[in-house]
C-alpha cells in the first residue's frame, strides 16, 4: 500500500509540473503571435524572430526547470500537503534535474505545417544522472528506449525483470534492458483509440484541429497577448538583445485558456487544461519572460516563476527554453521489433498478481455473515 501511495504521489508531482510547463508554453506560443503589438518596437522584433523561426523546416530546442530539489521541497511544504502526500526526495531530485530536448522536422516550413507534413520527431528526457526516456518518430515507425531501473527507483514502483516476462516477449525484454525497440505508430494509435470504445465499434479517427480552427485560435491569442502583455527592450550589445514580456500570470493564463478551452474538446482524452477553479489558487503576480535574440534570431527564453511560489525563501525558480541542441529524428540501428499483441499480453501478464484465481473461486456466492 505504501508503494502505491508513493507512486501516485510522484506521478501527481510530475504531472503538476508538466501541466505548469504546458501552461507557460501556451503563454510563449501566444507571445509568438504578438503581431498586433506593432506599435512597440520590442514586440515587432520579437514577432519577426518567431516569424523567421517558423520559416524553418526543422526546429530543435531544450527545455528545463531552473530550480533545485530543496526549493521544490520548500514549495511543496508551503502548499500544506496531506500526510503521506509530500513530494518524495527522489521525485524532487528528478524534477529539478529534468531536461527535455525536442526536434521536429517537416516537409514544409513549420509555420505552414499540419500533422501530415511532419516527417520526424525526436524527444529525449534527461536527468542529472543521464537519459531517462527517448523516442523518435520517423515516418510510420516509433522508436523508444528508457532507463527502466532509474525510472522504477524514482517512482518507488519496481517493474518486473526480464526473467519475469512470458516466453517469446523478446521485444519487451529488450525494452527492460534499456535497448531500442520499435513499433508501428498507426497500429499503436489505433489500439489506443479502440481501448476507449465499445466492443465492435469502428475506430474513430484521431482528433485534430483543422487549419481554420488553428487560425482562429492564433488570432484569439494575439488579441489576449496585445491586451495583457507589456514588452520592453532590456538591452543590446554585441548583436545580442534582450526583450522582456511581463504580465499578471493568473489573468494572462486565464484569458489564454478561455480562448483555448472551447477548441480542444475534440482532442484525445488526457489533454486536460486547468479549470477556472484550479486557477483560483494561482497567484496573480507579474511574471516576466526574457527573450534573448542573437542577430535577430531567437536563442533563449527564460521565464522567472519565483513570484508564483509566494514564498520569500524561493529565490530561483524558472523555466528555460533554448533553441538548438536536439537529436536528429533518425531511425537508430539495431532496434528490436515490438509486436502490439506482445505489448498488451506482456504488460498484462506482468501486472497480474502472483496468486491467480482458482477454478472454483467464483463457483459459490459470497456468504453473508449477518445471515
Amino acid at each position: 500500500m505504501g508503494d502505491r501511495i508513493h507512486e501516485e504521489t510522484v506521478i501527481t508531482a510530475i504531472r503538476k509540473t508538466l501541466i505548469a510547463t504546458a501552461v507557460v508554453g501556451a503563454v510563449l506560443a501566444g507571445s509568438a503571435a504578438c503581431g498586433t503589438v506593432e506599435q512597440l518596437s520590442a514586440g515587432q522584433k520579437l514577432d519577426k524572430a518567431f516569424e523567421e523561426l517558423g520559416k524553418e523546416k526543422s526546429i530543435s530546442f531544450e527545455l528545463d526547470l531552473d530550480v533545485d530539489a530543496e526549493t521544490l521541497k520548500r514549495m511543496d511544504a508551503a502548499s500544506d500537503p496531506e500526510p503521506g502526500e509530500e513530494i518524495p526526495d527522489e521525485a524532487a531530485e528528478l524534477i529539478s534535474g529534468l531536461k527535455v530536448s525536442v526536434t521536429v522536422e517537416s516537409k514544409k516550413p513549420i509555420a505552414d505545417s499540419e500533422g501530415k507534413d511532419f516527417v520526424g520527431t525526436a524527444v529525449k528526457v534527461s536527468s542529472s544522472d543521464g537519459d531517462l526516456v527517448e523516442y523518435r518518430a520517423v515516418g510510420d515507425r516509433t522508436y523508444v528506449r528508457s532507463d527502466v531501473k532509474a525510472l522504477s527507483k524514482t517512482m518507488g514502483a519496481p517493474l518486473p525483470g526480464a526473467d519475469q516476462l512470458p516466453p517469446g516477449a523478446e521485444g519487451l525484454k529488450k525494452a527492460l534492458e534499456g535497448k531500442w525497440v520499435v513499433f508501428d505508430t498507426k497500429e499503436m494509435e489505433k489500439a489506443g483509440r479502440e481501448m476507449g470504445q465499445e466492443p465492435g465499434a469502428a475506430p474513430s479517427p484521431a482528433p485534430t484541429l483543422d487549419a481554420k480552427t488553428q487560425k482562429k485560435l492564433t488570432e484569439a491569442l494575439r488579441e489576449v497577448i496585445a491586451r495583457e502583455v507589456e514588452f520592453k527592450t532590456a538591452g543590446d550589445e554585441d548583436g545580442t538583445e534582450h526583450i522582456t514580456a511581463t504580465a499578471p500570470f493568473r489573468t494572462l493564463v486565464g484569458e489564454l485558456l478561455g480562448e483555448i478551452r472551447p477548441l480542444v474538446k475534440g482532442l484525445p482524452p488526457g489533454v486536460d487544461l486547468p479549470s477556472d477553479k484550479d486557477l483560483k489558487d494561482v497567484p496573480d503576480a507579474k511574471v516576466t519572460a526574457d527573450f534573448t535574440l542573437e542577430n535577430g534570431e531567437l536563442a533563449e527564453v527564460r521565464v522567472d516563476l519565483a513570484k508564483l511560489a509566494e514564498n520569500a525563501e524561493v529565490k530561483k525558480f524558472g523555466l528555460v527554453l533554448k533553441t538548438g541542441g536536439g537529436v536528429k529524428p533518425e531511425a537508430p540501428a539495431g532496434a528490436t521489433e515490438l509486436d502490439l499483441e506482445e505489448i498488451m499480453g506482456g504488460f498484462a501478464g506482468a501486472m497480474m498478481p502472483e496468486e491467480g484465481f482458482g477454478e472454483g473461486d467464483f463457483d459459490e456466492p459470497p456468504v453473508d455473515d449477518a445471515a
Side-chain angles (χ1 to χ4, degrees), residues 26 30 34 66 73 122 132 135 138 148 219 222 248 260 273 293 340 343 346 348 358:
C34 62
D66 186 15
K73 294 281 289 183
L132 293 175
Y135 88 85
V138 185
V148 176
E219 291 299 326
R222 283 183 175 181
I260 296 172
L273 297 175
L293 307 184
L340 186 56
I343 296 176

Side-chain angles (χ1 to χ4, degrees), residues 339-362:
D339 185 81
L340 186 56
E341 292 183 3
E342 176 185 314
I343 296 176
M344 306 306 293
F347 275 113
M351 297 299 287
M352 288 292 289
E354 292 183 4
E355 292 92 11
F357 291 110
E359 291 183 1
D361 287 347
F362 296 102

Side-chain angles (χ1 to χ4, degrees), residues 130-324:
D131 297 341
L132 293 175
V133 180
E134 183 175 2
Y135 88 85
R136 302 178 191 177
V138 185
D140 293 332
R141 311 274 281 170
T142 296
Y143 301 80
V144 182
R145 70 172 176 177
S146 62
D147 187 338
V148 176
K149 291 183 179 179
L151 288 172
S152 61
K153 178 182 177 181
T154 302
M155 304 299 266
L159 296 178
D163 57 342
Q164 296 176 277
L165 294 177
E170 294 303 321
L172 286 176
K173 290 180 181 179
K174 292 293 183 180
L176 291 175
E177 294 171 357
K179 306 296 184 181
W180 281 106
V181 294
V182 57
F183 56 84
D184 185 283
T185 308
K186 292 183 178 180
E187 287 299 316
M188 179 64 75
E189 292 174 348
K190 178 182 176 182
R193 293 195 299 272
E194 289 177 341
M195 288 179 64
Q197 295 178 337
E198 294 294 330
S204 57
T208 184
L209 293 178
D210 56 50
K212 183 177 179 180
T213 302
Q214 291 182 41
K215 182 178 180 180
K216 180 180 178 181
L217 176 59
T218 300
E219 291 299 326
L221 295 181
R222 283 183 175 181
E223 292 179 6
V224 173
I225 295 297
R227 185 169 60 249
E228 299 295 343
V229 179
E230 177 184 0
F231 293 93
K232 290 184 179 179
T233 300
D236 188 357
E237 57 182 57
D238 300 328
T240 300
E241 184 171 10
H242 291 274
I243 295 176
T244 59
T246 304
F249 191 74
R250 188 201 313 143
T251 300
L252 178 60
V253 172
E255 292 196 25
L256 288 173
L257 291 176
E259 300 292 347
I260 296 172
R261 195 173 286 116
L263 303 177
V264 298
K265 293 180 180 179
L267 292 183
V271 185
D272 297 325
L273 297 175
S275 65
D276 292 336
K277 183 179 179 181
D278 294 330
L279 291 178
K280 288 183 179 179
D281 296 329
V282 175
D284 206 26
K286 288 190 175 182
V287 172
T288 297
D290 186 334
F291 298 81
T292 300
L293 307 184
E294 295 181 355
N295 298 318
E297 297 182 356
L298 182 66
E300 179 180 292
V301 183
R302 183 177 294 268
V303 185
D304 184 2
L305 302 174
K307 291 182 180 179
L308 298 184
E310 294 188 319
N311 187 327
E313 296 183 18
V314 176
K315 303 298 182 182
K316 185 176 70 171
F317 177 40
L319 187 69
V320 182
L321 181 150
K322 298 179 180 179
T323 58

